[in-house]
């Protein structure tokens, strides 16, 4: 009988990739065009991740946006944006100087911390996406159970527990000596090192396949619910009877909400799959064959996967009208110190306080009512007309229901 023993791999010595080898400064040559292109891409992506996720955190936690999103999805989106912000602040910028000079200039302790954060933060992003998918699935298909068990404390507890678990798992891999190495062709920073090829394959599969399957199943179910065209409210936590002509408005609102939710969730799940798939395939093939991918393909696949931290907030901005409008208002009023821009649908009754508009009660667009203009009505007449014709508030306007964000991201 022939025994097949798995080969134990050893991490490359960091001193061989250090810019100060043996205490002597290595000879740095001038960067070529390829190195400058790589460094420019890394810098641009890092700045994009920071700015985009800061915008998401500020907008979805602002008072103006509170009527379009509920507590639990807001916490999940804030957790995802905060995790992506940490990637843009603590992971991606460290690849700038190695991309220019081709060596690691920060020392061994920083390399060890970098490898730990690289593994824990990317895994936590996948876990948050799974939690968001499950949250939206339960809300769309089992609304009564969702509102009975969902809570702010539970959401915070789940995010904290998963973060501690991610750090603990990768800490056990990275903290021992030889658990990290300088990836000079892909990340251009320090990555976790797996002593066995099977561990490398297992880490890639645990990161990719469970996340992809949960996203596809949950969001596919959401599309199915959207096609049913239900004649009753599917996202309220208390049975309320809607009489008169309000049922048509209620059903129309729910259909618009479901359509926007399905589109946004499908785009975000597709973005994760598209960005992470090439890197997963590359890692599995390299681990199975024992070969090393070409530096260009390694760099492209690795940074394409990291760019998912930028595309998540970009897709949210692209598919959410309320988010775009409030983002522009915050940009003009807080950053540029200019008056709030007037959109095509704003008129004499719009307020600049960021609260309840006189002609738009509780987030409801009263498009069927008489529109007022600056030349033929006064503010007082418009206010009395709108308030007199406003129907009773709907359940989601009074805080008694609804399944979260108007896009259910």
């Amino acid at each position: 009988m022939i025994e097949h023993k798995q080969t134990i791999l050893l991490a490359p010595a960091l001193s061989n990739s250090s810019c100060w080898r043996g205490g002597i400064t290595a000879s740095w040559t001038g960067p070529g065009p390829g190195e400058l292109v790589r460094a420019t891409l890394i810098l641009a992506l890092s700045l994009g991740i920071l700015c985009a996720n800061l915008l998401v955190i500020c907008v979805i936690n602002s008072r103006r946006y509170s009527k379009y999103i509920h507590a639990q999805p807001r916490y999940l989106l804030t957790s995802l944006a905060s995790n992506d912000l940490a990637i843009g602040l603590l992971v991606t910028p460290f690849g700038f100087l190695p991309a220019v000079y081709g060596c690691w200039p920060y020392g061994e302790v920083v390399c060890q911390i970098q490898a730990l954060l690289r593994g824990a933060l990317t895994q936590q992003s996948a876990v948050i996406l799974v939690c968001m998918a499950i949250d939206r699935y339960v809300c769309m298909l089992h609304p009564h159970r969702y509102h009975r068990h969902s809570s702010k404390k539970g959401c915070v507890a789940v995010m904290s527990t998963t973060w501690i678990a991610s750090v603990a798992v990768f800490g056990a891999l990275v903290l021992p000596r030889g658990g990290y190495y300088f990836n000079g062709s892909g990340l251009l920073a320090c990555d976790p090192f797996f002593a066995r090829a099977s561990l490398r394959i297992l880490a890639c599969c645990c990161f990719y396949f469970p996340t992809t399957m949960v996203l596809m199943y949950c969001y596919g179910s959401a599309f199915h619910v959207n096609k049913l065209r239900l004649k009753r409210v599917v996202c309220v936590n208390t049975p309320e009877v809607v009489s008169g002509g309000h049922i048509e408005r209620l059903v129309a609102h729910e259909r618009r909400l479901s359509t926007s939710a399905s589109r946004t969730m499908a785009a975000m799940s597709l973005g994760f799959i598209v960005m992470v798939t090439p890197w997963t395939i590359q890692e599995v093939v390299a681990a199975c064959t024992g070969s090393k991918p070409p530096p260009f393909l390694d760099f492209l696949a690795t940074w394409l996967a990291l760019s998912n931290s930028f595309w998540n907030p970009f897709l949210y901005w692209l598919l959410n009208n309320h988010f775009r409008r409030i983002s522009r208002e915050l940009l003009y009023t807080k950053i540029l110190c200019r008056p709030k821009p007037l959109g095509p649908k704003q008129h004499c009754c719009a307020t600049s306080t960021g609260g309840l508009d006189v002609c738009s009660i509780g987030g409801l667009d009263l498009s069927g009512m008489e529109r007022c203009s600056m030349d033929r009505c006064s503010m007082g007449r418009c206010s009395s007309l709108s308030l007199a014709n406003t129907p009773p508030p709907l359940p989601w306007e009074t805080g008694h229901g609804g399944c979260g964000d108007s896009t259910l991201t």
Side-chain angles (χ1 to χ4, degrees), residues 60-306:
I60 66 176
N61 291 282
S62 65
R63 181 173 57 87
R64 300 180 184 181
Y65 197 72
S66 60
K67 59 183 177 181
Y68 304 114
I69 189 171
H70 288 252
Q72 186 151 309
R74 184 175 74 246
Y75 285 169
L76 290 172
L77 284 170
T78 303
S79 299
L80 180 63
S82 301
N83 194 83
D84 291 339
L85 180 66
I87 291 177
L89 187 64
L90 302 175
V91 176
T92 57
F94 284 84
F96 177 75
L97 287 181
V100 175
Y101 297 109
C103 57
W104 180 253
Y106 303 111
E108 187 165 354
V109 175
V110 177
C111 181
Q112 193 175 26
I113 298 174
Q114 175 82 5
L116 173 62
L117 293 175
R118 153 70 169 159
L121 289 174
T122 52
Q123 183 64 47
Q124 181 66 10
S125 294
V127 172
I128 297 174
L129 286 175
V130 170
C131 293
M132 290 175 58
I134 296 175
D135 177 84
R136 297 298 90 197
Y137 172 82
V138 176
C139 180
M140 292 288 290
L141 273 69
H142 307 284
H144 298 286
R145 185 186 305 173
Y146 174 82
H147 291 287
R148 188 163 55 248
H149 296 288
S150 63
S151 65
K152 301 177 183 179
K153 294 182 179 179
C155 183
V156 173
V158 170
M159 292 297 98
S160 302
T161 303
T162 54
W163 166 246
I164 293 174
S166 298
V167 173
V169 169
F170 281 92
L173 294 172
V174 172
L175 293 181
R177 190 170 185 84
Y180 55 91
Y181 77 109
F182 173 68
N183 188 348
S185 60
L187 182 63
L188 297 176
C190 289
D191 257 337
F193 182 81
F194 301 98
R196 293 181 174 86
S198 59
L199 293 178
R200 185 178 181 183
I201 297 173
L202 179 62
C204 295
C205 293
C206 290
F207 169 73
Y208 178 77
F209 288 106
T211 307
T212 303
M213 289 187 291
V214 171
L215 292 177
M216 294 179 65
Y217 176 77
C218 293
Y219 295 156
S221 300
F223 273 115
H224 178 68
V225 170
N226 186 51
K227 291 180 180 179
L228 293 179
R229 316 291 290 180
L230 299 177
K231 297 300 182 180
R232 55 177 296 182
V233 180
V234 296
C235 286
V236 293
N237 61 344
T238 57
E240 298 196 16
V241 178
V242 183
S243 59
H246 299 156
I247 184 64
E248 290 81 3
R249 183 162 62 93
L250 193 62
V251 173
H253 178 85
E254 286 299 323
R255 287 176 179 175
R256 288 195 302 269
L257 185 142
S258 298
T259 302
S260 180
S262 301
R263 180 179 60 182
T264 304
M265 291 187 294
M268 295 187 70
S269 62
L270 181 62
F272 173 83
I273 296 172
V274 170
M275 297 300 169
V276 177
T277 299
W279 177 82
T280 305
I281 295 175
Q282 172 191 278
E283 290 294 300
V284 173
V285 171
C288 292
T289 60
S291 60
K292 191 174 182 180
F296 172 76
L297 293 179
D298 193 11
F299 174 82
L300 185 62
T302 302
W303 286 92
L304 188 65
L306 287 174

